[in-house]
Amino acid sequence: MRTAVLGATGLVGRTMLALLETRNWVDEPPLLLTSARSAGTSLTFRGRAVDCADAASAGLAGVEMALFSAGGAASRAYAPRFVQAGSWVVDNSSAWRMDPEVPLVVPEINAAALPARPGIVANPNCSTIQVAAAVAPLQRAFGLKACHVTTLQAASGGGGRARQALAVELSACLPGLREGHASPAMTGTGAFPRRLALNALPEIGAALPDGSFEEEAKVVRELRKILGLPQLAVTCLATRVPVWNGHAAAVRCVCGRSAPRDEVIAALSAAPGLVVAESPHGYATQLEADGADPVFVGRVRGQEGRPEVVLMWVVADNVRKGAALNAVQIADLLASRGRGA
Ligand SMILES: NC(=O)c1ccc[n+]([C@@H]2O[C@H](COP(=O)([O-])OP(=O)(O)OC[C@H]3O[C@@H](n4cnc5c(N)ncnc54)[C@H](OP(=O)(O)O)[C@@H]3O)[C@@H](O)[C@H]2O)c1
């Protein structure tokens, strides 16, 4: 099947390319697309050099599966063209996620929403994917009334330049650290709303009139859509932390009925794509999740006097399961349908 990757030079695009190398339904190098800035950049696919082309002028003939990770503006501009040319578009940006005509898919939860014919499929926000993956088994086993989320998100969630900016900020802080202070004079690179190095920022995305920031609104809206619970009570506080790669989320679920801990562990352990720490003191961190495929669930506990409440610590690689891997898993399913499997 002929594939294309839009945003091929980005953190997510490069990871998509590496994942596509492992898929047997991909029989030739993907068409690699970027902005005019990176056109001509050479990447490798199964050991072969492949040059990137400017998405604005590239021909789309024969492309059947396009994976997009180039931001909302590029997705809005290019997705309709690809669909018109007969290709599926699996889009990582927020451009189409809340469009009622576009399915928002985490394959382990709602693969049934995938369309039968070529169209746009939206990949959820990175934090939403990992939280949904951990919450959906509880919804199935106990029902779900409310979900409260606090995220701790890595610099890589902002893309390659943001991750590099964290490296620059941390390096600039080193002399101060050697002298025994946290470099208060170092103000940041401007890549984040304030300095991220040795700090934590409760701000991701644009400020919204209701007092939230955009990332928080994405988690609220998208979780409801993926779980098929439009009235679900959801709150989110999203923070950026000075972590290289990997998002963590502290999650508090209010279930529809009593959720005994052994039943919670059984429900989570049976769910595909999750690695569950059985001890209430067990957990993974972002370091262990970096480069790994599963969503790690730990610190699973109840709340005294509230048998329907479940507390969890949920960690995943935001560039893999939070973006590239989830998109390629969607493409796997679409490709198998396209081939009548
Ligand atoms: N990083 C994450 O954890 C994560 C998670 C979920 C979703 N996402 C989403 O995935 C997308 C990419 O994220 P990223 O982290 O990979 O960002 P990134 O490292 O900044 O890469 C952005 C990519 O998009 C390309 N691009 C930008 N504007 C373009 C345009 N007008 N036309 C064609 N290509 C264009 C860039 O090409 P040039 O090299 O030419 O600039 C580059 O290849 C974003 O929509 C982001 O919100 C990211």
Side-chain angles (χ1 to χ4, degrees), residues 317-328:
D317 183 328
N318 49 292
V319 175
R320 290 184 77 86
K321 184 57 185 171
L325 175 63
N326 197 72
V328 170

Side-chain angles (χ1 to χ4, degrees), residues 219-240:
V219 172
V220 171
R221 293 193 299 253
E222 295 178 23
L223 204 54
R224 289 176 177 149
K225 182 169 175 176
I226 296 162
L227 299 177
L229 296 173
Q231 305 302 327
L232 182 68
V234 187
T235 59
C236 180
L237 173 77
T239 74
R240 184 79 73 198

Side-chain angles (χ1 to χ4, degrees), residues 10-15 19 126-127 130 152-167 170 192 196 239-249 284-294 296 313-325:
L11 278 185
V12 175
R14 287 172 191 267
T15 307
L19 289 165
C126 40
S127 292
Q130 68 185 65
L152 297 89
Q153 302 184 208
S156 64
R161 286 191 192 89
R163 195 177 66 171
Q164 201 47 38
L166 174 62
L170 286 169
F192 307 102
L196 183 62
T239 74
R240 184 79 73 198
V241 291
V243 164
W244 189 246
N245 189 43
H247 290 352
T285 71
Q286 279 117 309
L287 273 184
E288 284 100 45
D290 183 13
D293 287 349
F296 297 89
W313 172 252
V314 181
V315 181
D317 183 328
N318 49 292
V319 175
R320 290 184 77 86
K321 184 57 185 171
L325 175 63

Side-chain angles (χ1 to χ4, degrees), residues 7-12 34-35 37-38 69-71 92-93 126 156-157 159-160 318 322-323:
T9 48
L11 278 185
V12 175
T34 61
S35 76
R37 284 182 297 271
S38 296
S69 69
N92 253 292
S93 79
C126 40
S156 64
N318 49 292

